[in-house]
Amino acid sequence: MQPFKRFLPLAAFLLLVVLLVRGLSLDPTELPSARLGNSLPDFNLPVLGESGSRQAEDWGGEPALINVWATWCFSCRVEHPYLLELAQKGVTIYGLNYKDDPEKALVWLNDLGNPYTETVVDKDGSFGLDLGVYGAPETYVIDASSVVRHRHVGVVTEQVWNEQLSPYFEAGLTAGGLD
Amino acid sequence: MVRLLLCLMIFWSAQSLAVIETYEFSTPDLELRYKALSQELRCPKCQNQNIADSNAPISRDLRAIVHEQLEAGATNEEIIIFLVDRYGEFVRYRPGMDSNTLWLWSAPLILLVMAVAVVLTQIRKDRDRQTISSNAERANRLREKFDGDPS
């Protein structure tokens, strides 16, 4: 009993170290979307710069990214060039213009280039709310049957694409010349 | 003078905690429920604030939703389910019971049982020690009596 008791504080300390090291490697801002594994929530939103509107069913048939962006969002400007690059590689990116002024959004796309297959306008953020968006930029992966597979909060970079997003596309896009 | 200044400062700090917008409620009861709910719901963007205290746009949206649904006659339960469906268990400061939170919820009970067990064993140990020492004392006294000389 006695020799065991002597090492008790050391054991407690080691346990604490393990817990703290684990705590350091966790990112509390990384929340899994509550919509993972569910189909895209219903929406009926106008298309930016066009007269038509889109429903959830229209965004199916192939894996795609849904990028939540707005002109008021600084980080969106940072990730924009990489989105253009992805679009050139043949990745389908749908834009969700989130709580923004459509006029400004059109100017933005004119000035910086348009990586989006199409962009829908969610002016009051109601579709964003249904999707569980809490800011911009956010990027969702939907599969061919428009089920939400992944959510990335923050800027999409090459590293994010390679590590988190590209696995969802490999099956469908190998013919499209994807690295 | 200093006292007056202190009073003013206290009032100012209270004001800075208040939220930006105010909602009209049809009954005082709804307003109370709104206050309770908005303090119990967590802002998904600014993690360590409830939506009543947060200025984040998403919190403003969530407050609007809570207000709208309360006025539409939704129960607290329905509103919480609506938000959990969209933002996950994370939005609740009082999470529901599931396999993830089982330890969280049962920890107080487990700790209480452990504390009671420790106290009980300690009491028993003390009592044993007392009995032993009082037994030893009595033996000594008897020895003194019969031997006459304790040494």
Side-chain angles (χ1 to χ4, degrees):
Chain A
M1 192 64 197
Q2 211 51 44
F4 168 75
K5 250 189 182 163
R6 184 186 294 173
F7 288 106
L8 215 56
L10 185 65
F13 171 72
L14 287 179
L15 185 71
L16 195 66
V17 166
V18 169
L19 285 176
L20 290 177
V21 166
R22 169 109 181 94
L24 279 179
S25 62
L26 289 176
D27 182 1
T29 59
E30 212 154 88
L31 295 176
S33 165
R35 289 298 190 196
L36 290 187
N38 294 329
S39 332
L40 208 57
D42 282 332
F43 64 89
N44 189 355
L45 294 171
V47 181
L48 183 69
E50 290 172 33
S51 51
S53 66
R54 285 291 175 273
Q55 284 89 42
E57 307 88 83
D58 299 328
W59 287 358
E62 55 176 350
L65 295 179
I66 298 179
N67 179 245
V68 182
W69 66 282
T71 54
W72 46 259
C73 148
F74 179 75
S75 312
C76 298
R77 192 175 282 269
V78 175
E79 73 175 355
H80 201 83
Y82 191 67
L83 292 180
L84 285 168
E85 219 174 286
L86 283 181
Q88 257 173 5
K89 282 181 180 173
V91 179
T92 305
I93 309 176
Y94 295 114
L96 176 64
N97 188 234
Y98 180 64
K99 293 205 217 170
D100 202 3
D101 178 358
E103 300 285 317
K104 283 188 193 163
L106 277 173
V107 173
W108 163 294
L109 291 183
N110 263 334
D111 290 352
L112 300 174
N114 186 354
Y116 306 110
T117 307
E118 57 192 18
T119 296
V120 291
V121 180
D122 187 17
K123 213 169 173 186
D124 60 356
S126 57
F127 175 55
L129 192 97
D130 282 341
L131 192 57
V133 172
Y134 57 75
E138 279 184 30
T139 302
Y140 293 77
V141 178
I142 55 169
D143 67 11
S145 36
S146 61
V147 170
V148 180
R149 287 295 168 204
H150 188 82
R151 185 252 295 265
H152 172 73
V153 175
V155 173
V156 173
T157 59
E158 192 167 0
Q159 191 187 4
V160 170
W161 166 257
N162 286 335
E163 287 173 7
Q164 300 179 28
L165 308 178
S166 64
Y168 297 95
F169 289 84
E170 249 133 41
L173 276 178
T174 34
L178 205 75
D179 312 341
Chain B
M1 185 60 205
V2 174
R3 203 168 285 180
L4 182 75
L5 208 68
L6 272 177
C7 278
L8 278 176
M9 282 163 86
I10 286 170
F11 274 110
W12 267 321
S13 64
Q15 225 160 22
S16 68
L17 280 176
V19 226
I20 323 88
E21 82 280 303
T22 49
Y23 285 112
E24 296 282 329
F25 289 90
S26 45
T27 68
D29 176 54
L30 284 183
E31 189 166 359
L32 286 179
R33 282 172 57 203
Y34 171 81
K35 279 185 182 152
L37 269 176
S38 61
Q39 274 168 17
E40 198 177 298
L41 290 166
R42 187 180 188 180
C43 165
K45 181 84 188 167
C46 34
Q47 310 216 329
N48 290 325
Q49 275 184 310
N50 57 28
I51 62 169
D53 285 340
S54 161
N55 295 334
I58 185 67
S59 292
R60 203 177 310 141
D61 290 357
L62 296 190
R63 286 196 295 270
I65 288 282
V66 171
H67 170 247
E68 190 184 299
Q69 297 209 354
L70 278 174
E71 284 293 342
T75 64
N76 289 7
E77 197 68 0
E78 282 166 350
I79 295 173
I80 288 176
I81 289 173
F82 177 89
L83 291 174
V84 167
D85 276 351
R86 284 156 182 74
Y87 292 97
E89 277 291 322
F90 186 86
V91 292
R92 305 179 67 177
Y93 265 126
R94 221 160 14 124
M97 180 90 113
D98 61 26
S99 56
N100 269 332
T101 54
L102 189 66
W103 283 110
L104 186 71
W105 279 109
S106 50
L109 197 69
I110 294 174
L111 286 177
L112 185 71
V113 169
M114 274 163 66
V116 168
V118 166
V119 168
L120 281 183
T121 45
Q122 204 59 44
I123 288 176
R124 196 164 298 158
K125 230 188 245 172
D126 278 0
R127 200 188 293 144
D128 288 351
R129 205 172 293 144
Q130 261 167 16
T131 337
I132 290 168
S133 64
S134 60
N135 279 349
E137 227 168 79
R138 206 178 300 150
N140 263 348
R141 239 179 286 142
L142 285 174
R143 213 171 288 137
E144 267 174 52
K145 212 179 220 172
F146 287 105
D147 298 350
D149 187 7
S151 56

